[in-house]
Amino acid sequence: MKKPSDPTESWEAEREKIIGLGERSLRKTYYPELQQKLDELERFRALLDQSNDCIFLLKIPSLSFIDVNESACRQLECSRQELLSLPLEKFVPEVAAVRIRELVAFGHAEGRDQDTITTQLYKCSGEKLPVEITIRLVSFHKNLYGVAVARDITERKRAEKALLENFRILREMELARQIQLSLLPAAPPELPGVRLAGYCLPATHVGGDYYDFYRREDGILDMVIADVSGHSFGAALMMAEARSVLRAQVNSFTGTGDILASLNDILYEDLSQAELFITMFYVKYDTSTCTLTYSNAGHCSPLLSRRSVSGCSELDAEGLIMGVRKGLPFEEKQLSMEEGDVLILYTDGIIEAQNDAGELFGLGRLCGIIGARHSESPREISDAVLREVSAFTGGAPPQDDMTMIVMKVV
């Protein structure tokens, strides 16, 4: 062997250089196919390292790591040397390791060369990474290997959790809706000389609107319509509380103003703490004398359409909304009703419904419906109002609760 070309280089270094040059020359000259395969292998290895998934090459049947890609090292926060020195069981739960071993033991013999499991990978730091692992068995030169591709499903798990939470909330809201609707009258009472209809449509699952009927002795009927600010669960709970208090107090007072004053004093503390308020209109109708007595707590003024007079008149009385302060007075008024008169109590969700141009449905349209259908029943009139509001808004979902009571003297 000749002396080294570089005096500072050892005989051993020169020998390795010559051998390396010889091997590369032989590969290019005598083994071009081998060189091509090696080049392809290097390109494939680079492709694996660019993947965002964790890829493991496993020895069968020991399931020890032969190789891993760069993504596996990065996501598991381990060096390649650490990964190759540890068994599979250090990185997956026992149940996942058992399934992988079952595939290795029985899958190839049964023609089942692939399996997918959802599990976790343990990082070297001890944290857990939710993954979906696809394991494929491959044969190479009569040897069996396993290729495991683990995909991070953290975002998918988070989305699934959010979906389940939304489903749970929707289910609870639907239950709350059914409970709230059950608090409304199943059907209006039947009394001589008067026909009634009531309707409530919450804008969301639960709402703050409410109406009710109370039938007293001697042919006297009480009617109430109310609106708690907002459409939240808080508004629905406050309305349920107001209903309970009202039902407990209704027989203790004869005057409509006294009933509203008592209800305001009882609910004041809860309304203040919840930062809510209630508007309410209360009516007492004596079927024997056709006398209507009413009081208002800041609610929309009902419309009265008389058979003998065109147009509508508004029923109003002095009274602030409930929840402003205790000791509020509520004015009480009376009027006589005649056969054919129609009275409609409503919440602002009806008259404040908007079309695409931002125009409000308004009192004029509501009064026009009553006038045009004066001869019809209260149920037919309320159905017509809802149809007209829906047509006016282009069938858009209501932005506010819509509630009404229609009374007709017959």
Side-chain angles (χ1 to χ4, degrees):
M1 184 176 292
K2 67 176 184 177
K3 292 183 179 181
S5 56
D6 186 348
T8 63
E9 198 171 45
S10 65
W11 283 103
E12 289 76 9
E14 182 73 12
R15 180 171 59 83
E16 291 299 325
K17 184 187 296 184
I18 294 172
I19 292 174
L21 289 172
E23 286 181 346
R24 286 193 290 274
S25 177
L26 286 172
R27 286 176 183 171
K28 291 181 180 179
T29 306
Y30 299 103
Y31 306 107
E33 293 184 2
L34 175 61
Q35 182 63 41
Q36 182 181 357
K37 294 295 183 183
L38 291 172
D39 292 342
E40 290 177 357
L41 183 61
E42 288 299 323
R43 287 195 294 270
F44 182 65
R45 175 64 178 275
L47 184 63
L48 293 183
D49 283 340
Q50 292 174 8
S51 172
N52 291 325
D53 298 330
C54 300
I55 303 176
F56 309 90
L57 181 61
L58 305 172
K59 185 182 294 184
I60 303 298
S62 66
L63 295 184
S64 57
F65 292 133
I66 298 175
D67 203 359
V68 297
N69 69 341
E70 287 296 330
S71 182
C73 299
R74 182 176 62 257
Q75 295 192 56
L76 298 184
E77 301 174 0
C78 301
S79 66
R80 189 185 298 270
Q81 184 178 0
E82 286 179 293
L83 286 173
L84 297 181
S85 65
L86 296 171
L88 176 69
E89 287 80 0
K90 291 290 185 180
F91 297 96
V92 295
E94 182 179 355
V95 64
V98 169
R99 285 190 59 182
I100 295 173
R101 291 193 179 279
E102 287 177 351
L103 174 65
V104 171
F106 307 110
H108 192 63
E110 298 173 357
R112 183 170 58 88
D113 294 341
Q114 182 172 319
D115 196 5
T116 299
I117 60 175
T118 300
T119 182
Q120 296 174 329
L121 285 178
Y122 299 133
K123 300 181 181 181
C124 288
S125 63
E127 296 181 17
K128 297 177 181 179
L129 178 70
V131 292
E132 184 179 77
I133 303 179
T134 300
I135 306 102
R136 183 187 297 274
L137 301 181
V138 294
S139 297
F140 184 73
H141 285 189
K142 298 182 180 181
N143 293 320
L144 191 62
Y145 299 91
V147 177
V149 179
R151 175 157 296 177
D152 182 359
I153 57 172
T154 301
E155 290 302 320
R156 192 176 83 185
K157 286 290 185 181
R158 186 178 291 116
E160 289 174 353
K161 183 179 180 181
L163 187 64
L164 288 174
E165 180 65 15
N166 288 339
F167 176 76
R168 182 188 65 80
I169 293 174
L170 287 174
R171 184 177 59 186
E172 291 181 355
M173 290 180 69
E174 182 59 30
L175 178 60
R177 175 188 176 88
Q178 296 302 321
I179 293 174
Q180 187 176 38
L181 291 177
S182 71
L183 299 178
L184 299 175
E190 295 183 4
L191 288 89
V194 66
R195 297 291 181 267
L196 301 161
Y199 183 87
C200 181
L201 175 65
T204 56
H205 281 80
V206 293
D209 279 10
Y210 170 68
Y211 76 93
D212 212 343
F213 304 102
Y214 307 101
R215 184 172 182 175
R216 296 174 182 260
E217 298 178 356
D218 303 326
I220 295 178
L221 172 70
D222 287 17
M223 298 183 295
V224 60
I225 190 166
D227 184 1
V228 177
S229 55
H231 323 294
S232 63
F233 275 105
L237 290 172
M238 184 56 66
M239 185 50 70
E241 181 183 356
R243 174 186 182 271
S244 299
V245 173
L246 187 55
R247 290 203 162 207
Q249 296 287 318
V250 69
N251 292 317
S252 301
F253 301 91
T254 57
T256 55
D258 293 338
I259 292 174
L260 293 185
S262 175
L263 189 62
N264 174 70
D265 290 345
I266 294 172
L267 296 177
Y268 173 76
E269 296 295 340
D270 290 344
L271 286 170
S272 296
Q273 291 179 12
E275 297 183 349
L276 296 172
F277 60 84
I278 299 178
T279 68
M280 183 176 292
F281 200 95
Y282 201 97
V283 172
K284 186 186 299 291
Y285 181 67
D286 189 335
T287 58
S288 62
T289 62
C290 296
T291 301
L292 189 77
T293 306
Y294 59 91
S295 294
N296 192 4
H299 195 76
C300 304
S301 299
L303 295 180
L304 174 62
S305 176
R306 294 190 180 274
R307 184 181 62 176
S308 57
V309 180
S310 62
C312 300
S313 59
E314 296 183 42
L315 272 60
D316 201 6
E318 294 296 326
L320 296 177
I321 58 177
M322 294 183 181
V324 175
R325 66 175 184 270
K326 284 187 176 182
L328 288 176
F330 295 93
E331 183 183 11
E332 186 171 298
K333 288 187 176 182
Q334 283 188 346
L335 61 84
S336 295
M337 301 284 286
E338 301 175 357
E339 183 178 343
D341 289 351
V342 176
L343 176 67
I344 179 168
L345 289 71
Y346 57 91
T347 57
D348 56 9
I350 293 177
I351 60 172
E352 293 181 1
Q354 295 186 16
N355 60 15
D356 292 339
E359 184 182 6
L360 299 180
F361 187 76
L363 288 174
R365 289 183 176 85
L366 183 58
C367 180
I369 296 171
I370 302 172
R373 299 178 179 272
H374 217 277
S375 62
E376 298 181 6
S377 69
R379 173 53 62 194
E380 290 171 327
I381 294 174
S382 67
D383 289 345
V385 171
L386 293 173
R387 286 196 304 270
E388 291 295 330
V389 171
S390 179
F392 180 78
T393 60
Q399 299 300 307
D400 197 359
D401 308 331
M402 294 193 297
T403 304
M404 75 182 92
I405 295 176
V406 180
M407 184 187 90
K408 183 175 184 179
V409 179
V410 295

